[in-house]
mmCIF file with all atom_site columns, all heavy atoms in Angstrom:
data_model
loop_
_atom_site.group_PDB
_atom_site.id
_atom_site.type_symbol
_atom_site.label_atom_id
_atom_site.label_alt_id
_atom_site.label_comp_id
_atom_site.label_asym_id
_atom_site.label_entity_id
_atom_site.label_seq_id
_atom_site.pdbx_PDB_ins_code
_atom_site.Cartn_x
_atom_site.Cartn_y
_atom_site.Cartn_z
_atom_site.occupancy
_atom_site.B_iso_or_equiv
_atom_site.pdbx_formal_charge
_atom_site.auth_seq_id
_atom_site.auth_comp_id
_atom_site.auth_asym_id
_atom_site.auth_atom_id
_atom_site.pdbx_PDB_model_num
ATOM 1  N N   . LEU C 1 91  ? 16.570 16.745 -30.575 1.00 96.00 ? 291 LEU C N   1
ATOM 2  C CA  . LEU C 1 91  ? 16.171 18.158 -30.417 1.00 96.00 ? 291 LEU C CA  1
ATOM 3  C C   . LEU C 1 91  ? 15.605 18.730 -31.726 1.00 96.00 ? 291 LEU C C   1
ATOM 4  O O   . LEU C 1 91  ? 14.662 19.512 -31.709 1.00 96.00 ? 291 LEU C O   1
ATOM 5  C CB  . LEU C 1 91  ? 17.464 18.955 -30.008 1.00 96.00 ? 291 LEU C CB  1
ATOM 6  C CG  . LEU C 1 91  ? 17.049 20.410 -29.589 1.00 96.00 ? 291 LEU C CG  1
ATOM 7  C CD1 . LEU C 1 91  ? 16.325 20.421 -28.227 1.00 96.00 ? 291 LEU C CD1 1
ATOM 8  C CD2 . LEU C 1 91  ? 18.438 21.224 -29.413 1.00 96.00 ? 291 LEU C CD2 1
ATOM 9  N N   . ALA C 1 105 ? -1.912 25.528 -38.787 1.00 96.00 ? 305 ALA C N   1
ATOM 10 C CA  . ALA C 1 105 ? -2.846 26.789 -38.828 1.00 96.00 ? 305 ALA C CA  1
ATOM 11 C C   . ALA C 1 105 ? -2.699 27.336 -40.260 1.00 96.00 ? 305 ALA C C   1
ATOM 12 O O   . ALA C 1 105 ? -3.656 27.902 -40.821 1.00 96.00 ? 305 ALA C O   1
ATOM 13 C CB  . ALA C 1 105 ? -2.353 27.760 -37.839 1.00 96.00 ? 305 ALA C CB  1
ATOM 14 N N   . LEU C 1 125 ? 7.408  15.347 -43.679 1.00 97.00 ? 325 LEU C N   1
ATOM 15 C CA  . LEU C 1 125 ? 8.461  14.569 -44.245 1.00 97.00 ? 325 LEU C CA  1
ATOM 16 C C   . LEU C 1 125 ? 9.770  14.784 -43.502 1.00 97.00 ? 325 LEU C C   1
ATOM 17 O O   . LEU C 1 125 ? 10.427 13.823 -43.087 1.00 97.00 ? 325 LEU C O   1
ATOM 18 C CB  . LEU C 1 125 ? 8.715  14.989 -45.684 1.00 97.00 ? 325 LEU C CB  1
ATOM 19 C CG  . LEU C 1 125 ? 9.803  14.298 -46.395 1.00 97.00 ? 325 LEU C CG  1
ATOM 20 C CD1 . LEU C 1 125 ? 9.714  12.826 -46.472 1.00 97.00 ? 325 LEU C CD1 1
ATOM 21 C CD2 . LEU C 1 125 ? 9.922  14.917 -47.842 1.00 97.00 ? 325 LEU C CD2 1
ATOM 22 N N   . GLN C 1 131 ? 12.859 11.435 -37.404 1.00 97.00 ? 331 GLN C N   1
ATOM 23 C CA  . GLN C 1 131 ? 12.581 10.349 -36.478 1.00 97.00 ? 331 GLN C CA  1
ATOM 24 C C   . GLN C 1 131 ? 13.305 9.036  -36.920 1.00 97.00 ? 331 GLN C C   1
ATOM 25 O O   . GLN C 1 131 ? 13.853 8.347  -36.042 1.00 97.00 ? 331 GLN C O   1
ATOM 26 C CB  . GLN C 1 131 ? 10.974 10.084 -36.592 1.00 97.00 ? 331 GLN C CB  1
ATOM 27 C CG  . GLN C 1 131 ? 10.507 9.017  -35.702 1.00 97.00 ? 331 GLN C CG  1
ATOM 28 C CD  . GLN C 1 131 ? 9.130  8.675  -35.981 1.00 97.00 ? 331 GLN C CD  1
ATOM 29 O OE1 . GLN C 1 131 ? 8.199  8.762  -35.110 1.00 97.00 ? 331 GLN C OE1 1
ATOM 30 N NE2 . GLN C 1 131 ? 8.789  8.051  -37.063 1.00 97.00 ? 331 GLN C NE2 1
#
Side-chain angles (χ1 to χ4, degrees):
Chain C
L291 194 67
L325 179 55
Q331 183 189 244

